Amino acid sequence: MAEVKKIATRESYGATLVELGAENPDIVVMDADLAGATKTAMFKKAYPDRFFDAGIAEANMMGVAAGLATMGKIPFVSSFAMFASGRAYEQVRNSIGYPNLNVKICASHAGITVGEDGATHQCNEDIALMRTIPGMVVMVPSDDIEARAAVRAAAEYKGPVYIRLGRAAVPVVNDPENFKFEIGKGQIVKEGKDVTIVATGLGLDSSIGAAKKLAEDGIDAEVINICTIKPLDEELIIKSAKKTGKVVTVEEHSIIGGLGSAVCDCLSEKCPTLVKRLGINDVFGESGPAFDLLHKYELDAEGVYKHIKEFLGK
Amino acid sequence: MNNLELQKIANEVRKGIITSVHSAKAGHPGGSLSAADVFTFLYFEEMNVDPKNPDDPDRDRFVLSKGHTAPGLYAALAQKGFFPVEDLITLRHIGSYLQGHPCINIPGVDMSSGSLGQGVSAAVGMALAGKMDKKDFRVYSLLGDGEIQEGQVWEAAMFAGFHKLDNLCIMVDNNNLQIDGPIDEVCSPYPIDKKFESFNFHVINADAHDFDSIRSALSEAKATKGMPTCIVFHSVKGKGVSFMENNAGWHGKAPNDEEFKVAMADLDKITEELAKKEA
């Protein structure tokens, strides 16, 4: 079997920014002293006149980006998810969200796969924070192909966008031949009838792996990839929930406020269905190699498989 | 425009502040009144803005970082013709476009603001865009002296100084009062001028209620190249309304009907005095 290509979504972001920089002179990039890590340094190298480092000052960075956006620029601003969504939450809400400005917040190092840096830097709350801001589009790409498409879509979309990117290299799971991307649209990655697995980000790879193991047990799982958590593709999720009657959500984020909550918000009102949320169970993370942590927190294929079996009572 | 004409407009701006805050039964008259002369000078003398073409891409920009003094900004914008003066009484009313704090959708308002410390960063971003595009417009931002206790102000100042944004003029309305009392008793930001100097600003101290002083300060700011300017405007909170002057209690409180009459009588008296001067 051929080796599966692995690439971190932050790498895809950096590469796409460079392409966009050539296509659109209004694209401006800002970072807060993490350009090497978030990969905005690639843009800095290509377009030094359109790159501004705010230094370690995320609050001001968001405000400067807001000011740039009022002048017709399209600022892409980056830091780690912890600081972009947490430290600067109120700046994002009041200076970008409220005036509905065309700022793209692309935050890397989200979730526990930050790894060795540990809990202070492992943001498991950013989806929750960002999706409560009115008008904010929230996207969590699952791999290189989707990350490139999401960054391009964000550049074309008018309005505030939050894109969650990862530190760790993750397998390319989407099929480049048949890949289509639209903000607000999910995809059925594998059709099934026994249970619906709704996944986002690197949870998709784990879910595809879990679905394969479930198939060996005779359980036919449907796997849905949700890149855009807000606005959520409710139609797709409701249709699948009606078909299978059981839904599992998988994300590298707190089970409070993320994809699991978004799916529950939708289903509880429009199609009451039993939902099992898999994610970080309201705890802080810890130091360790990224994929060892994913295993420990039972968000790899094995963990997801185990929890779905329990959920189904089989 | 001569000083007497400016004084007359400023007095109308003050009447607009009192009328709108009274009508709203809430709002921030003290800091609006302390900045009324600065608002007036900016919109009637300093800035290149046209109420008939409020979205002109080459216009000067203003961000009211001390957004709670929206009544002062709105009164100046109304006097300038961005919207009818009669609309001021809808301030803070449900359904009105005149929100409690500035909103970018209001004619003449360049940025939503009001969460302290944030507006100045947006102003820095506007100035940066002006430099990138080699445009001639200038960017102004007014901050409260209490507001500069916010750390974000100094992040913004560091960035503006570092990038030598000489198209940016930050103004601090130094009325020495914040909600909890005198700023030097709450948590002193003094010396304000030396702080901005150390962040690589050209700093000017000026009298916020003397149009010669305001004119000279803004003219010096415009002539300053290679660094942004900070004008520390020494002001009187509540200026123009006898019982509001130098009283922290009028930071965020509306006058009742009786107080409204007294306040308007104070301002009417100023109108009469200015008319006498003119004659």
Side-chain angles (χ1 to χ4, degrees):
Chain A
M1 207 173 112
E3 181 101 346
V4 180
K5 195 178 149 200
K6 279 188 166 189
I7 184 163
T9 51
R10 61 184 166 130
E11 297 275 358
S12 325
Y13 167 57
T16 309
L17 271 186
V18 174
E19 292 170 13
L20 288 170
E23 294 164 23
N24 189 339
D26 289 331
I27 300 221
V28 179
V29 176
M30 293 192 75
D31 209 301
D33 197 39
L34 291 167
T38 66
K39 300 299 168 189
T40 59
M42 294 161 78
F43 184 93
K44 179 187 179 180
K45 197 177 166 201
Y47 305 100
D49 295 345
R50 285 190 271 150
F51 176 87
F52 299 97
D53 206 315
I56 310 164
E58 297 80 10
N60 180 56
M61 176 172 72
M62 295 302 174
V64 171
L68 287 166
T70 67
M71 309 300 298
K73 304 290 180 197
I74 307 173
F76 278 73
V77 294
S78 288
S79 179
F80 288 179
M82 188 70 255
F83 315 127
S85 74
R87 171 77 63 103
Y89 171 77
E90 203 227 324
Q91 283 75 17
V92 173
R93 180 194 184 274
N94 278 326
S95 287
I96 296 172
Y98 177 48
N100 194 40
L101 291 172
N102 198 21
V103 177
K104 319 301 169 184
I105 302 149
C106 297
S108 75
H109 292 61
I112 52 166
T113 53
V114 165
E116 292 80 354
D117 274 352
T120 52
H121 287 56
Q122 293 165 343
C123 188
N124 298 317
E125 303 86 15
D126 55 325
I127 300 173
L129 288 164
M130 290 296 109
R131 85 181 178 93
T132 59
I133 297 174
M136 181 69 73
V137 168
V138 179
M139 293 193 275
V140 187
S142 56
D143 70 354
D144 175 55
I145 292 169
E146 194 164 54
R148 286 169 184 268
V151 173
R152 283 199 161 272
E156 281 166 29
Y157 174 85
K158 271 211 180 340
V161 174
Y162 179 82
I163 300 182
R164 182 185 218 233
L165 304 163
R167 170 181 180 241
V170 291
V172 176
V173 289
N174 288 291
D175 173 9
E177 301 295 315
N178 302 307
F179 187 76
K180 276 189 202 140
F181 188 87
E182 193 182 330
I183 290 175
K185 292 282 176 213
Q187 300 100 28
I188 296 175
V189 175
K190 176 195 170 296
E191 289 196 23
K193 59 179 182 354
D194 297 331
V195 60
T196 300
I197 310 175
V198 184
T200 195
L202 58 69
L204 179 61
D205 180 50
S206 306
S207 299
I208 292 169
K212 279 181 190 155
K213 287 177 194 278
L214 290 167
E216 288 166 15
D217 298 343
I219 298 166
D220 186 13
E222 179 146 293
V223 181
I224 292 178
N225 174 26
I226 290 292
C227 176
T228 315
I229 295 188
K230 186 186 176 184
L232 188 68
D233 191 343
E234 297 194 338
E235 199 185 324
L236 186 74
I237 291 167
I238 290 168
K239 200 173 156 198
S240 183
K242 277 184 180 158
K243 179 166 73 170
T244 66
K246 290 186 187 69
V247 174
V248 179
T249 59
V250 183
E251 62 194 313
E252 189 201 7
H253 183 277
S254 172
I255 55 165
I256 299 171
L259 172 73
S261 290
V263 168
C264 288
D265 290 350
C266 161
L267 292 178
S268 61
E269 283 184 358
K270 294 173 182 167
C271 177
T273 309
L274 198 57
V275 178
K276 175 69 185 172
R277 294 165 301 152
L278 302 183
I280 307 297
N281 294 311
D282 196 22
V283 293
F284 291 104
E286 61 184 290
S287 291
F291 290 96
D292 292 354
L293 287 171
L294 207 62
H295 180 69
K296 179 171 178 178
Y297 288 82
E298 300 183 318
L299 288 169
D300 58 356
E302 196 185 323
V304 171
Y305 165 76
K306 188 188 106 179
H307 282 289
I308 294 177
K309 288 279 281 186
E310 281 172 18
F311 177 58
L312 297 177
K314 287 179 183 175
Chain B
M1 200 172 271
N2 66 37
N3 287 0
L4 188 61
E5 287 170 304
L6 288 166
Q7 283 165 347
K8 281 164 70 180
I9 296 167
N11 201 49
E12 293 308 306
V13 168
R14 288 194 162 90
K15 286 179 190 171
I17 292 165
I18 295 301
T19 307
S20 59
V21 174
H22 172 253
S23 166
K25 298 187 173 67
H28 298 81
S32 296
L33 292 166
S34 67
D37 300 307
V38 172
F39 285 132
T40 301
F41 192 86
L42 285 172
Y43 280 96
F44 285 85
E45 197 70 2
E46 176 72 10
M47 291 202 301
N48 171 33
V49 289
D50 179 4
K52 290 190 201 76
N53 188 14
D55 297 324
D56 179 1
D58 292 328
R59 72 188 185 279
D60 289 338
R61 263 69 172 185
F62 176 71
V63 181
L64 182 59
S65 203
K66 50 175 252 167
H68 55 281
T69 61
L73 174 63
Y74 296 166
L77 288 172
Q79 284 295 326
K80 183 74 178 172
F82 281 94
F83 46 81
V85 174
E86 297 77 57
D87 286 4
L88 290 175
I89 55 165
T90 70
L91 173 74
R92 290 180 172 235
H93 287 243
I94 196 158
S96 169
Y97 63 98
L98 295 178
Q99 292 293 297
H101 290 81
C103 174
I104 201 165
N105 301 326
I106 298 170
V109 173
D110 292 319
M111 179 63 189
S112 305
S113 61
S115 176
L116 295 178
Q118 295 195 25
V120 61
S121 291
V124 169
M126 293 172 185
L128 183 66
K131 285 287 175 194
M132 288 178 78
D133 295 343
K134 298 187 169 56
K135 296 268 193 178
D136 290 331
F137 66 80
R138 291 181 60 75
V139 181
Y140 301 86
S141 184
L142 183 67
L143 290 84
D145 52 5
E147 178 181 10
I148 65 172
Q149 289 159 347
E150 287 281 4
Q152 185 177 348
V153 170
W154 302 103
E155 293 183 5
M158 195 186 306
F159 188 96
F162 174 65
H163 287 282
K164 302 182 167 55
L165 300 177
D166 55 16
N167 53 349
L168 175 72
C169 179
I170 285 176
M171 298 161 286
V172 179
D173 183 17
N174 187 197
N175 59 36
N176 198 49
L177 289 172
Q178 60 187 122
I179 298 175
D180 283 350
I183 62 168
D184 49 354
E185 288 176 23
V186 174
C187 184
S188 178
Y190 292 120
I192 298 171
D193 46 6
K194 288 196 171 58
K195 282 196 175 64
F196 276 99
E197 261 167 29
S198 71
F199 279 76
N200 297 318
F201 275 65
H202 176 63
V203 180
I204 303 163
N205 282 283
D207 181 339
H209 308 304
D210 173 348
F211 281 109
D212 284 335
S213 182
I214 298 172
R215 192 188 304 272
S216 146
L218 282 160
S219 162
E220 187 178 325
K222 205 180 266 183
T224 301
K225 299 296 169 203
M227 54 169 56
T229 294
C230 171
I231 304 173
V232 182
F233 275 119
H234 300 275
S235 65
V236 173
K237 196 151 188 162
K239 176 74 179 175
V241 175
S242 53
F243 60 93
M244 289 186 183
E245 286 194 1
N246 288 314
N247 185 341
W250 287 101
H251 171 89
K253 191 173 76 168
N256 62 27
D257 291 348
E258 208 163 302
E259 291 159 339
F260 171 70
K261 279 180 199 157
V262 177
M264 291 304 278
D266 284 349
L267 296 170
D268 283 338
K269 211 171 128 193
I270 296 173
T271 306
E272 283 168 29
E273 283 165 10
L274 292 171
K276 270 184 211 161
K277 262 194 205 173
E278 200 171 23

